[in-house]
Amino acid sequence: LKAKNGAFTGDVAAASVTANSFAGDGSKLTGIKVPKGECTKAGHVVKGINADGSLKCVVAMDPKALPADGIDEISNGLLHNQFDDTISADKKTVFIPDNTGSEAVSNLTFPDIGAAQTFQISVHVENTDLSKIGIVVLPPNDKKKGYTMCDPCGAKDAKILKKSWSPTAKPKAGDLGYWIGKNPKGLWNLKVLDSSYCVVQAPGNSKYCNPTAKRDGWIADWSIKIRTLSTKKIGVKGNLVLAANTAPCNSFAIGAIKFSSALRRIQVCDGQQWWPELLGLASSNAGRSCKDIKQRAPSAKSGSYWIDPDGAGKGAPFKVYCDQETGGGGWTLIVKVRGNDKTMNRLNTAQWRYKKLIGQCETTSNQNALCAGYDKVGFTDVMIRSLAESWRNLAWGHRDKYTSMWHIINAGKPVYTRNRLFGAVHNLSYNGNPIYHRDCGPMNYGFFTADWNQKYNKVAGHSVYTGHAGGVVGASLNDWSIWKNGSSYPHTALSTQYCLSDFAVGGGYGNASGTNDDSYAINAHWWGAGNSHTYNWNAHGVFVR
C-alpha cells in the first residue's frame, strides 16, 4: 500500500480484514454477512436471505408459497375467493319507545358464511333528539353487555343517524376486532334506548314524535357486513370462456364442463353423458311445453322438441312440433287437419271427445293428426295456422288458462272470446273466392264454432238442415238479430252489416237433405254456402300456448 496524504491507495489482498468501521462512501457498513449455503434440492429457488446470512429456499411455483387470498393477484384480478356478504335486520322499521325505560329491539340472524376477514356494523336510526339515544349491539350468546355503539348518538338537533363501526372505526365501548378470524353466525340484537320525552311542536318533530302511541322515531334498518376467505367457492369477474371439445363423458370426468359447438350450449358431465342437451332435444331434458322451451331458451328455432307437460316422474315425455317464430313463438302443435277430408270433422266424436289419437304432430306434414298434446298441454292462447305457410294464421287469447284442448271439448260447452292477438280469417289458406271468406264485424274466436240453431249436438252442435257449418275450433260472427233461421241471403248481403264468415277446424256443413255429405273437416263460408263450395281447403294446424 502506498500512503498519499495520510491515506492508503491501491489494492488490498488479504485472507481476512478486521476493522471497527468502513468509511469512504459514508455508509459506515457494519456486520456484513456473506450469504451462505445453496439451494440444492430439485425445483428449489432462492426466495431471500435469513438474518444469519443463510439462503431461504422454496420450491418454484409451490402453492404453499402463495397466500390463501392471492388468487386475484396471479389472475390479473379476474378470479377471487374473497366475498363480501351483508345481512340486514330480520324486520324493518322497529319503533322506539319514548322514554318509557323500554328498549326498541331489532334482530338480525347471521348465517354460517365463514370466518370474517373484515367486520362492520351499520345502523340507520331516526329520532327527534339523537343526543338522548343510546345504541347497544348484543352478539350471539352474549354473556356481557354487548357493544355500546354510541351514547349519545348525535347532537340535540340531529334526527337521522346513519353510521358504521368496525375494528378501526371503533364503537364507544367494545372491540369489534374480536370477530376477525371468527364466525359471526347466530342471532344478533340491536337495542335502542330513548331517555327523553319528545315534543310534537318542536321543528321537525311531528314526523317522529307520537305521544299517544308513546314512541319517538324508529330503527329503520341495521346490518352486519363481513368479508370471508372461502375454501368452497370461487368468483369470476370476467367472462369464463370454455373451449369446445369432444372429450368423452365417463366416471373420470364427473363434474367436468365444456362448451358444445353443435348445440351452442354449456354441458356438464354426470359420469355417463353430457347434460343438458339443448332444452327439449332429448327426452331426459324435456320442456313442459313449447312456450316453456321458448322462455327458457329464447334462441330456440321452430322444429321438433320433447315436452313433458306433467313434469318429470309422471307421464312419459313425447315429441311435438314447436312454432317458435310466429307471434313470438311458444306454440305447441296439437292437431293437424287436411282440407276436403271427412276424418276429423265435427261428427268424429271418437277423435275429438274420446281422444282417439292418430297421426303425429312432430312435423307440419300434410296429414290428419290428433296428438298427445291435445289432452295434456295447458294454454291460454290458440292459433289456427296453415301447415304450409306459417304467415297464414289467426290467433286469439283467452282470459282463463285451460288444462288442455280436450278438457274443453269433453265439457261440451261453447267457449268464445273476441281477444284477437294477430292474423285474420282472410289470411287462412284455401283456394276459394274471397267473397266467401273474409273478416266481418266483431269476430268471435274459440271452440264449438257453431251457429245459433243447435239442432244436433255432436262434438260441435249446429243446425244440420238450416244454418251455416259448425266446427270445433275457429272464428265466427253469430249475429242472431240479423240472421234468421231458414233465410237465404244473396252475395249482395255480404256487407259490413250482413256479413257472416266462418273458418273452422273440425267443421262440417249439413246440407238441406240432411245427409251431411259435405261435412269436411275444414270449412270457410258465408251463410248458406259452407262446404257446398267444394274448394280445396289446405291443411291447417291448431297450436296452443
Side-chain angles (χ1 to χ4, degrees):
L1 297 176
K2 296 181 179 180
K4 184 178 181 181
N5 297 325
F8 290 97
T9 62
D11 298 327
V12 176
S16 63
V17 176
T18 302
N20 292 328
S21 66
F22 289 91
D25 63 356
S27 62
K28 295 185 177 181
L29 297 175
T30 60
I32 294 179
K33 295 180 179 179
V34 177
K36 58 185 178 180
E38 56 183 324
C39 299
T40 58
K41 292 184 179 181
H44 278 211
V45 296
V46 177
K47 180 181 180 182
I49 302 175
N50 295 309
D52 63 357
S54 61
L55 302 181
K56 292 181 179 180
C57 300
V58 295
V59 177
M61 301 303 292
D62 184 359
K64 295 180 180 178
L66 180 70
D69 59 354
I71 191 171
D72 54 339
E73 282 81 5
I74 65 170
S75 67
N76 197 27
L78 292 176
L79 301 176
H80 65 94
N81 60 344
Q82 292 173 296
F83 297 89
D84 292 325
D85 294 285
T86 301
I87 307 300
S88 297
D90 297 338
K91 179 183 178 182
K92 308 293 184 184
T93 313
V94 177
F95 291 104
I96 301 172
D98 185 28
N99 195 26
T100 64
S102 299
E103 298 164 313
V105 180
S106 178
N107 300 320
L108 182 156
T109 304
F110 206 92
D112 184 5
I113 294 175
Q117 285 190 311
T118 62
F119 189 86
Q120 177 180 288
I121 294 177
S122 299
V123 176
H124 177 187
V125 168
E126 301 193 20
N127 187 270
T128 60
D129 183 1
L130 292 181
S131 69
K132 301 300 181 180
I133 290 293
I135 299 176
V136 174
V137 172
L138 300 175
N141 305 314
D142 181 65
K143 304 296 183 182
K144 301 178 182 179
K145 296 182 179 179
Y147 304 101
T148 301
M149 312 309 292
C150 55
D151 188 8
C153 291
K156 182 176 178 58
D157 58 349
K159 302 184 185 304
I160 299 177
L161 171 71
K162 290 184 178 180
K163 189 172 182 180
S164 297
W165 295 269
S166 67
T168 54
K170 297 181 179 181
K172 182 175 182 179
D175 182 12
L176 296 180
Y178 166 82
W179 293 100
I180 303 301
K182 294 182 174 59
N183 192 333
K185 66 177 180 179
L187 180 67
W188 291 71
N189 292 290
L190 181 139
K191 296 184 177 182
V192 179
L193 182 66
D194 183 350
S195 60
S196 174
Y197 288 110
C198 64
V199 179
V200 177
Q201 288 80 6
N205 283 8
S206 58
K207 178 180 178 180
Y208 307 107
C209 185
N210 189 335
T212 302
K214 297 182 179 180
R215 69 192 190 201
D216 182 9
W218 53 80
I219 303 172
D221 192 16
W222 72 289
S223 63
I224 294 177
K225 177 182 179 180
I226 70 170
R227 172 172 293 178
T228 56
L229 178 62
S230 177
T231 60
K232 298 179 181 179
K233 61 182 179 179
I234 191 166
V236 180
K237 294 182 179 178
N239 292 329
L240 179 63
V241 181
L242 299 177
N245 62 77
T246 57
C249 173
N250 50 40
S251 59
F252 300 103
I254 293 177
I257 59 175
K258 73 170 186 176
F259 179 77
S260 169
S261 297
L263 299 176
R264 303 186 66 81
R265 291 291 184 275
I266 291 176
Q267 294 181 301
V268 181
C269 174
D270 65 1
Q272 295 181 335
Q273 63 181 356
W274 290 105
W275 185 94
E277 296 283 353
L278 178 63
L279 183 66
L281 291 190
S283 59
S284 60
N285 191 34
R288 299 300 291 267
S289 65
C290 294
K291 181 179 180 180
D292 174 51
I293 293 172
K294 187 64 175 178
Q295 289 177 332
R296 294 167 60 188
S299 62
K301 302 301 181 183
S302 297
S304 177
Y305 291 88
W306 287 89
I307 66 170
D308 188 2
D310 298 321
K314 297 182 180 179
F318 53 90
K319 274 190 170 183
V320 297
Y321 180 84
C322 294
D323 182 336
Q324 303 291 31
E325 275 86 30
T326 305
W331 297 99
T332 303
L333 176 61
I334 60 171
V335 174
K336 294 194 296 185
V337 178
R338 289 193 301 200
N340 287 9
D341 193 327
K342 295 182 180 180
T343 304
M344 298 289 292
N345 70 15
R346 60 96 175 88
L347 297 175
N348 291 140
T349 303
Q351 250 80 49
W352 293 104
R353 182 159 290 163
Y354 302 129
K355 55 183 177 182
K356 182 181 178 182
L357 305 183
I358 60 172
Q360 58 84 12
C361 292
E362 299 177 29
T363 69
T364 54
S365 60
N366 182 2
Q367 63 176 296
N368 291 315
L370 190 67
C371 304
Y374 169 66
D375 66 331
K376 293 181 176 64
V377 178
F379 67 94
T380 57
D381 301 340
V382 184
M383 176 173 67
I384 300 174
R385 203 206 84 181
S386 164
L387 294 177
E389 300 173 283
S390 61
W391 69 270
R392 295 185 176 277
N393 56 60
L394 169 64
W396 63 89
H398 290 272
R399 180 180 60 186
D400 300 321
K401 181 173 182 178
Y402 300 107
T403 304
S404 72
M405 181 72 74
W406 172 77
H407 282 81
I408 298 174
I409 306 306
N410 189 53
K413 296 180 180 179
V415 177
Y416 293 110
T417 181
R418 290 186 176 181
N419 181 24
R420 183 173 67 89
L421 300 178
F422 56 83
V425 171
H426 62 258
N427 282 353
L428 300 174
S429 178
Y430 81 113
N431 297 326
N433 190 330
I435 198 171
Y436 302 127
H437 190 48
R438 57 188 290 188
D439 288 316
C440 45
M443 303 293 290
N444 285 320
Y445 312 99
F447 315 99
F448 302 128
T449 54
D451 73 335
W452 55 270
N453 186 5
Q454 298 182 357
K455 183 174 181 180
Y456 291 142
N457 284 309
K458 293 293 184 181
V459 174
H462 70 287
S463 171
V464 174
Y465 298 105
T466 58
H468 62 281
V472 177
V473 185
S476 173
L477 175 66
N478 297 296
D479 192 336
W480 298 1
S481 65
I482 297 176
W483 297 99
K484 308 301 181 182
N485 184 26
S487 300
S488 178
Y489 294 87
H491 292 178
T492 55
L494 292 174
S495 65
T496 302
Q497 183 178 7
Y498 295 108
C499 172
L500 190 151
S501 177
D502 291 82
F503 189 97
V505 173
Y509 177 78
N511 62 29
S513 66
T515 61
N516 291 309
D517 290 337
D518 296 322
S519 297
Y520 298 133
I522 291 179
N523 55 67
H525 61 280
W526 63 282
W527 181 267
N531 292 8
S532 59
H533 294 275
T534 55
Y535 295 111
N536 181 25
W537 316 124
N538 296 323
H540 287 72
V542 177
F543 297 74
V544 296
R545 71 177 180 188

